[in-house]
Amino acid sequence: MQMKTMVRIGAVLMTFAFGSLLTAAPVKVVFDTDMYTDFDDAGALACLHALADAGECEILATVASTRGSMSVAMCEIVNTYYGRPDIPVGCVKGIGVGEDKSGTHRRIFGATVEKYARWVRHRNSDDAPDAVDVYRRVLSTQPDKSVVICSVGFLTNMRKLMETDRDLVARKVKHWVAMACYYPMGKECNSKTD
């Protein structure tokens, strides 16, 4: 894909996700991440906090789509670092991608989780609340068509939410932006996994 096309696609996604910068009210965002085997999602969450610092968005929740990992702990660390330790967190339950058996996850995030252990409430994501329950609780308190969901990981949480409460999603969600391939023509880890 040519660079110009990729830049245009990125601009369109950001427009959908954050609307016009002239909008008075901050965009309400739920960040859905795998935070799994590399730092890209930690960087994306840091960028989201920078937008929140600028008054352009409000982070309603951060939920993880990987079980048996430190993904929720990493969300808690980033949220606390940026002064928002009370952002609700959750993790996928029952299905989806489990612990990274290769050990990459621990090599990448283990030192950070150890260093900031005082900021961590859920060292193992399995101990965190159910992401679908967090979605329901957060969405139910928001005005209709006001929430943007940004999925930068596996789509399991959205799948489970749509299977269990499609009407709530239809009422409350303005946009859903997913980092994935041009589906069904391409294959990409986040979309092909679930």
Side-chain angles (χ1 to χ4, degrees), residues 58-158:
E58 175 187 357
I59 306 169
L60 302 176
T62 53
V63 294
S65 60
T66 54
R67 299 176 290 104
S69 67
M70 291 179 271
S71 53
V72 171
M74 284 300 298
C75 288
E76 291 172 328
I77 290 168
V78 175
N79 292 343
T80 302
Y81 180 84
Y82 284 96
R84 297 178 181 89
D86 297 325
I87 292 175
V89 295
C91 179
V92 68
K93 301 294 179 184
I95 65 171
V97 175
E99 183 177 356
D100 171 34
K101 302 294 185 194
S102 73
T104 302
H105 186 262
R106 294 197 187 292
R107 282 192 306 278
I108 291 175
F109 295 122
T112 303
V113 171
E114 288 302 320
K115 182 175 181 177
Y116 296 100
R118 66 192 180 282
W119 292 351
V120 173
R121 294 183 313 266
H122 305 96
R123 185 179 176 93
N124 185 314
S125 294
D126 292 342
D127 298 332
D130 187 325
V132 172
D133 292 341
V134 172
Y135 264 119
R136 284 189 192 124
R137 187 172 63 253
V138 167
L139 290 176
S140 68
T141 64
Q142 299 304 313
D144 289 352
K145 299 295 181 191
S146 67
V147 177
V148 172
I149 296 172
C150 292
S151 298
V152 295
F154 304 115
L155 307 178
T156 314
N157 288 325
M158 281 303 295

Side-chain angles (χ1 to χ4, degrees), residues 13-30 48 51-52 54-60 142 145-150 174-175 177:
L13 285 176
M14 290 306 287
T15 299
F16 277 130
F18 296 104
S20 169
L21 294 178
L22 301 175
T23 304
V27 176
K28 297 169 177 286
V29 178
V30 175
L48 194 59
L51 289 167
E56 295 180 26
C57 76
E58 175 187 357
I59 306 169
L60 302 176
Q142 299 304 313
K145 299 295 181 191
S146 67
V147 177
V148 172
I149 296 172
C150 292
K174 178 179 181 178
H175 294 294
V177 180

Side-chain angles (χ1 to χ4, degrees), residues 154-172:
F154 304 115
L155 307 178
T156 314
N157 288 325
M158 281 303 295
R159 170 189 165 188
K160 289 182 70 177
L161 180 62
M162 293 294 289
E163 288 173 349
T164 59
D165 214 335
R166 185 179 297 258
D167 291 340
L168 179 67
V169 174
R171 279 195 327 275
K172 302 296 183 174

Side-chain angles (χ1 to χ4, degrees), residues 21-42:
L21 294 178
L22 301 175
T23 304
V27 176
K28 297 169 177 286
V29 178
V30 175
F31 186 71
D32 195 327
T33 174
D34 55 14
M35 198 77 72
Y36 198 50
T37 57
D38 53 39
F39 284 110
D40 62 334
D41 290 13

